[in-house]
Amino acid sequence: DTEVTQTPKHLVMGMTNKKSLKCEQHMGHRAMYWYKQKAKKPPELMFVYSYEKLSINESVPSRFSPECPNSSLLNLHLHALQPEDSALYLCASRQGRGGSNYGYTFGSGTRLTVV
Amino acid sequence: GQQVMQIPQYQHVQEGEDFTTYCNSSTTLSNIQWYKQRPGGHPVFLIQLVKSGEVKKQKRLTFQFGEAKKNSSLHITATQTTDVGTYFCAGLMNSGYALNFGKGTSLLVTP
């Protein structure tokens, strides 16, 4: 299995809703990432998990809450989002930690619309 | 963190023409990676360059890393419609924990 699987593929939620995005990989990668991508923009880093521990939070608002239950799973819990949070949310994984020289494997993303 | 600049922002070519996108960093990079994102798709890893002056080829794609490890380029020879997409360069940031993406070059190829 050489894939990162993200669910759901599409999500529409109201500003008072609570929802979760899920990401799963079975490649034995120990670094996992959440990126946010707006239309015609590059991916922007949100969170980094290394060996199931949160190592980087890029000053993301608390309405986004990441969770790494185990080495294969990564969740992003969403609560009280704003319409400007509408974007493509990408999960990625990579072997090793830190300066390890491996490419990222991205999931196909969750396209989120906040209404 | 380091800034990775990428030009041009857009490029429209006729099928068969060549294409080049350039990436520049304000600081020395330990390595640089290149990704392709098709319209409606997700970034797909193409290659990583590590050594000063390194040149790597993948069929019609040629990747270069500058001698000072501050710039890189991707050159596509004889573009095809399947080359359409956005090409991103990316350098490591946060002490190597995460990638910082350039703004990308969107390539449109018309038959």
Side-chain angles (χ1 to χ4, degrees), chain A residues 15 21 25 34-35 41 94 103 108:
Chain A
M15 290 188 283
L21 309 185
Q25 58 87 14
W34 281 114
Y35 278 83
K41 298 291 186 184
R94 187 182 68 166
S108 57

Side-chain angles (χ1 to χ4, degrees), chain A residues 52-79:
Chain A
E52 294 111 69
K53 294 190 188 306
L54 182 64
S55 57
I56 295 176
N57 175 341
E58 285 289 294
S59 303
V60 179
S62 59
R63 57 186 184 269
F64 295 91
S65 175
E67 178 196 19
C68 189
N70 59 57
S71 61
S72 299
L73 295 174
L74 188 64
N75 298 321
L76 186 62
H77 303 297
L78 314 173
H79 174 55

Side-chain angles (χ1 to χ4, degrees), chain B residues 80-100:
Chain B
Q80 300 175 358
T81 55
T82 53
D83 295 325
V84 166
T86 300
Y87 293 85
F88 293 101
C89 63
L92 287 174
M93 64 179 187
N94 298 101
S95 302
Y97 269 89
L99 286 177
N100 184 21

Side-chain angles (χ1 to χ4, degrees), chain A residues 33 35 37 40-43 45 48 50 55-56 58 88 90 94 97-104 106-109 111, chain B residues 9-10 30-31 33 35 37 40-45 48 50 88 92-104:
Chain A
Y33 308 79
Y35 278 83
Q37 187 176 29
K40 300 189 186 302
K41 298 291 186 184
L45 182 67
V48 179
S50 179
S55 57
I56 295 176
E58 285 289 294
L88 179 68
L90 293 162
R94 187 182 68 166
R97 73 163 91 204
S100 176
N101 294 323
Y102 295 97
Y104 286 30
F106 281 86
S108 57
R111 196 161 296 279
Chain B
Q9 189 174 1
Y10 301 100
S30 58
N31 64 52
Q33 298 184 2
Y35 291 79
Q37 185 172 18
H42 58 278
V44 174
F45 174 69
Q48 175 173 271
V50 179
F88 293 101
L92 287 174
M93 64 179 187
N94 298 101
S95 302
Y97 269 89
L99 286 177
N100 184 21
F101 284 80
K103 293 189 183 298

Side-chain angles (χ1 to χ4, degrees), chain A residues 4-65:
Chain A
V4 173
T5 303
Q6 286 188 247
T7 56
K9 293 194 183 306
H10 301 273
L11 178 62
V12 180
M13 62 184 290
M15 290 188 283
T16 58
N17 290 161
K18 286 185 181 181
K19 296 287 184 182
S20 296
L21 309 185
K22 297 186 183 301
C23 174
E24 190 169 1
Q25 58 87 14
H26 297 286
M27 295 177 282
H29 290 177
R30 303 312 297 268
M32 296 185 76
Y33 308 79
W34 281 114
Y35 278 83
K36 174 183 177 179
Q37 187 176 29
K38 300 282 261 184
K40 300 189 186 302
K41 298 291 186 184
E44 293 180 14
L45 182 67
M46 299 176 72
F47 302 104
V48 179
Y49 274 84
S50 179
Y51 288 80
E52 294 111 69
K53 294 190 188 306
L54 182 64
S55 57
I56 295 176
N57 175 341
E58 285 289 294
S59 303
V60 179
S62 59
R63 57 186 184 269
F64 295 91
S65 175

Side-chain angles (χ1 to χ4, degrees), chain B residues 43-59:
Chain B
V44 174
F45 174 69
L46 294 177
I47 208 159
Q48 175 173 271
L49 304 172
V50 179
K51 299 177 183 176
S52 170
E54 189 170 15
V55 178
K56 286 189 176 180
K57 293 191 175 186
Q58 290 179 351
K59 298 183 179 178

